[in-house]
């Protein structure tokens, strides 16, 4: 069995990684220019020829592409190989507009699964493990990606897919799952059910690989305590391949980006200017090994920062801070920028679990925002629980975090719909008026 912790690549001195990236970038730009009319036209319009790209220092000369370009080119406009070379598609879960469809050659799938294998190994996975994958299977990349990675590591793979909590818990206890892969919100739900059914001493989980949605450090601590595991973050997006574009090591201090396959940049989302290491902005990726659907300078809309600070795990690949949200997740309420993750941090710090929902509306010309959060089971049993006082305390916490008055309702346990995949945290009724 191959060892998918690949020290030669993952601990390569930075200058060598950059040299490798430069070589791959030069080849990739020529490959894309020669094979994708859309890019050829875009580069011609920007006055850039493949020969102008001599290394990563020239990356900034290439034009950006974004999700609208992908939608406009749907379905085949960005393919760089004949369709007969493609063996799979995956697609985004977008509910509005055209879905994004990504294509893969067999080689693309091998690279993607290898990326997921590295993530599983970084979370302590070996062939002795039982890897319980309850990300959705099908068009969503979560299930297939982690499934493939788990096979490569040699774990016993449980392809559970999402939902059916009853069955998840039965397999988890009967087959002794040791690594859990799902969204953090579903991990929190499973934790809640495990505790409610008194199953904690029957589970053997040691690690979780959670991603596909934003989650806070507070939520991490909560999940770790409830399930008795170490919770690792994993990031990725369909357009770039799927999960495994970056992943956490045991340090849990940001996710190592797999720099032998992807070059990250952080830009100012308004001006497109490339920002220095450490500054927060929009994450942009250039794929340097993809064959079927090779995106150059793709704007993810995810906001984060990068760091090259030395990591004690020995990996030298640059780390990205967990995305603080997407530029399109940000709500402007009463003229103030609000991210759901800020609200989550306040609630979890005050002892609640991540069972909450944010409802934004407009009455006349005024925005309203209400946060509904469930009591924990302990709070529900506590006779001295003072609802009005607790609500006032959350209102004060949110006011100091956001600078605006938020209405708060503490509701009974199990009254907010649970998610099995990506959680729906925000209901913005103002969207109805804008249609
Ligand atoms: O969510 C791929 C994935 C599956 C990642 C399983 C991790 C685990 P999409 O459905 O295309 O792909 O959604 C991609 O989800 O641009 C981010 O906004 C968000 N996202 C993904 N991982 C994280 C994470 C998959 N760890 C979009 N933290 C991305 C925060 C994340 N947001």
């Amino acid at each position: 069995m191959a060892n998918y912790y690949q020290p030669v690549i993952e601990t390569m001195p930075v200058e060598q990684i950059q040299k490798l990236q430069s070589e791959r970038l030069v080849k990739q730009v020529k490959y894309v220019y020669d094979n994708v009319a859309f890019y050829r036209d875009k580069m011609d319009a920007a006055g850039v020829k493949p020969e102008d790209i001599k290394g990563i220092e020239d990356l900034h000369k290439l034009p950006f592409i974004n999700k609208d370009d992908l939608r406009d080119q749907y379905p085949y406009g960005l393919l760089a190989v004949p369709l007969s070379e493609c063996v799979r598609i995956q697609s985004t879960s977008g509910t509005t507009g055209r879905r994004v469809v990504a294509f893969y050659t067999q080689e693309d799938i091998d690279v993607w699964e290898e990326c997921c294998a590295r993530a599983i190994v970084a979370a302590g996975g070996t062939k002795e493990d039982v890897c319980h994958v309850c990300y959705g299977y099908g068009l969503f990349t979560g299930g297939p990606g982690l499934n493939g990675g788990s096979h490569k590591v040699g774990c016993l793979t449980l392809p559970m897919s999402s939902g059916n909590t009853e069955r998840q818990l039965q397999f988890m206890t009967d087959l002794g799952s040791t690594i859990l892969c799902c969204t953090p919100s579903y991990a929190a739900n499973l934790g809640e059910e495990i505790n409610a059914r008194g199953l904690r001493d029957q589970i053997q989980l040691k690690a979780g690989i959670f991603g596909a949605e934003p989650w806070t450090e507070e939520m991490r601590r909560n999940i770790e305590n409830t399930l008795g595991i170490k919770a690792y973050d994993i990031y990725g997006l369909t357009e770039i391949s799927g999960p495994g574009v970056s992943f956490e090591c045991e340090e849990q201090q940001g996710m190592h980006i797999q720099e032998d396959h992807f070059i990250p940049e952080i830009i100012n989302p308004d001006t497109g200017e490339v920002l220095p290491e450490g500054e927060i902005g929009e994450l942009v990726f250039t794929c340097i090994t993809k064959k079927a659907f090779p995106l150059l300078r793709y704007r993810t809309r995810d906001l984060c920062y990068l760091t090259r600070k030395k990591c004690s795990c020995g990996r030298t690949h640059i780390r990205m801070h967990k995305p603080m949200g997407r530029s399109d997740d940000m709500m402007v309420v009463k003229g103030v920028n609000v991210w759901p993750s800020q609200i989550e941090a306040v609630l979890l710090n005050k002892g609640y679990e991540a069972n909450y929902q944010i409802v934004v509306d407009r009455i006349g010309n005024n925005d309203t925002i209400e946060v509904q959060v469930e009591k924990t089971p302990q709070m529900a049993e506590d006779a001295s629980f003072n609802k009005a006082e607790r609500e006032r305390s959350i209102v004060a916490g949110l006011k100091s975090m956001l600078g605006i008055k938020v209405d708060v309702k503490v509701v009974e346990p199990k009254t907010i719909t649970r998610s099995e995949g990506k959680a729906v945290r925000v209901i913005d009724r103002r969207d109805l008026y804008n249609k």
Side-chain angles (χ1 to χ4, degrees):
M1 177 55 56
N3 178 2
Y4 279 96
Y5 169 59
Q6 296 173 316
V8 176
I9 293 170
E10 298 188 72
T11 63
M12 214 177 223
V14 175
E15 311 72 56
Q16 270 183 46
I17 296 172
Q18 292 179 332
K19 186 162 169 278
L20 178 71
Q21 287 182 324
S22 285
E23 286 162 12
R24 290 186 169 174
L25 176 68
V26 170
K27 274 198 205 138
Q28 185 78 344
V29 170
K30 180 164 174 6
Y31 168 75
V32 170
Y33 188 88
D34 290 346
N35 291 289
V36 186
F38 166 81
Y39 272 110
R40 198 155 51 240
D41 295 346
K42 220 168 156 85
M43 283 174 60
D44 286 347
V48 194
K49 292 283 172 219
E51 308 77 77
D52 298 330
I53 309 299
K54 298 195 171 66
I56 50 174
E57 64 284 2
D58 295 322
L59 186 58
H60 67 98
K61 296 180 181 163
L62 293 170
F64 293 116
I65 69 159
N66 59 35
K67 205 161 196 155
D68 289 338
D69 293 317
L70 266 53
R71 291 198 171 118
D72 293 346
Q73 297 305 314
Y74 172 90
Y76 299 132
L78 287 167
L79 261 190
V81 295
L83 201 53
S84 57
E85 296 300 308
C86 297
V87 297
R88 171 101 66 85
I89 66 150
Q90 303 287 161
S91 176
T92 55
S93 51
T95 46
T96 53
R98 284 173 171 170
R99 280 168 172 269
V100 169
V101 174
F103 296 82
Y104 302 74
T105 63
Q106 184 55 52
E107 199 182 325
D108 291 333
I109 298 224
D110 290 340
V111 168
W112 173 31
E113 291 181 350
E114 190 172 285
C115 288
C116 289
R118 288 184 193 168
I120 293 172
V121 171
T126 71
K127 70 188 291 294
E128 308 303 326
D129 279 296
V130 178
C131 186
H132 188 116
V133 184
C134 43
Y135 285 113
Y137 281 61
L139 288 172
F140 179 52
T141 53
L146 269 308
N147 190 90
S150 170
H151 272 229
K152 283 211 190 297
V153 177
C155 304
L156 173 63
T157 309
L158 310 191
M160 301 300 300
S161 198
S162 54
N164 201 336
T165 301
E166 200 70 41
R167 192 174 56 194
Q168 305 282 0
L169 296 180
Q170 190 188 344
F171 275 73
M172 193 177 284
T173 48
D174 292 351
L175 300 181
S177 309
T178 53
I179 300 180
L180 175 64
C181 306
C182 61
T183 56
S185 52
Y186 193 51
N189 294 348
L190 286 172
E192 195 176 50
E193 285 301 318
I194 286 168
N195 277 354
R197 296 171 194 216
L199 292 175
R200 175 76 190 266
D201 57 355
Q202 290 179 48
I203 62 162
Q204 294 172 43
L205 290 176
K206 61 175 192 189
I209 304 180
F210 305 133
E213 63 185 6
W215 54 311
T216 53
E217 283 303 322
E218 289 77 7
M219 186 150 171
R220 186 206 307 262
R221 276 198 294 279
N222 232 313
I223 296 173
E224 290 191 332
N225 291 337
T226 318
L227 288 172
I229 60 170
K230 191 153 175 170
Y232 296 81
D233 203 352
I234 183 167
Y235 169 89
L237 59 168
T238 314
E239 300 90 311
I240 300 301
S241 65
V245 171
S246 64
F247 61 82
E248 267 183 346
C249 61
E250 69 266 21
E251 271 305 295
Q252 297 176 305
Q253 293 287 333
M255 295 177 272
H256 290 281
I257 295 176
Q258 313 229 26
E259 287 193 278
D260 48 332
H261 300 297
F262 314 107
I263 307 179
E265 296 171 276
I266 294 287
I267 62 162
N268 175 326
D270 299 324
T271 62
E273 175 206 357
V274 179
L275 299 176
E277 186 188 324
E279 283 194 27
I280 297 175
E282 180 178 348
L283 184 58
V284 171
F285 280 112
T286 296
C287 306
I288 46 176
T289 51
K290 272 176 76 181
K291 291 285 175 262
F293 197 70
L295 303 187
L296 305 180
R297 298 199 92 198
Y298 179 66
R299 292 183 61 156
T300 63
R301 302 193 207 177
D302 291 320
L303 302 170
C304 68
Y305 65 85
L306 301 177
T307 175
R308 275 232 185 260
K309 268 200 203 120
K310 200 165 173 329
C311 184
S312 67
C313 79
R315 288 178 184 79
T316 46
H317 289 193
I318 201 163
R319 277 172 292 162
M320 58 181 269
H321 186 273
K322 100 192 350 288
M324 287 108 179
R326 296 172 59 81
S327 51
D328 44 2
D329 267 356
M330 191 192 77
M331 306 174 279
V332 180
V333 183
K334 304 181 188 187
V336 167
N337 298 348
V338 176
W339 268 279
S341 56
Q342 296 173 301
I343 294 176
E344 182 176 299
V346 171
L347 296 176
L348 271 67
N349 267 328
K350 290 193 178 287
Y352 296 85
E353 285 161 8
N355 297 316
Y356 68 94
Q357 199 151 49
I358 305 162
V359 183
V360 183
D361 206 341
R362 183 169 297 146
I363 297 175
N365 286 324
N366 296 321
D367 290 335
T368 61
I369 173 164
E370 180 180 276
V371 171
Q372 298 163 0
V373 59
E374 282 182 10
K375 288 181 189 166
T376 62
Q378 293 78 356
M379 292 174 188
E381 279 171 15
D382 177 1
S384 67
F385 185 88
N386 184 330
K387 185 166 170 297
E389 200 176 283
R390 291 299 199 111
E391 287 174 345
R392 275 197 297 278
S393 150
I394 302 174
V395 170
L398 291 172
K399 171 98 197 199
S400 105
M401 170 71 94
L402 306 170
I404 55 172
K405 162 100 186 343
V406 174
D407 296 319
V408 172
K409 259 199 199 135
V410 174
V411 298
E412 292 306 311
K414 303 269 166 103
T415 47
I416 293 174
T417 314
R418 299 290 185 269
S419 88
E420 294 174 345
K422 300 191 190 224
V424 179
R425 301 289 192 199
V426 180
I427 301 172
D428 196 338
R429 300 214 170 99
R430 297 174 305 178
D431 294 345
L432 298 173
Y433 318 129
N434 297 333
K435 286 204 170 119

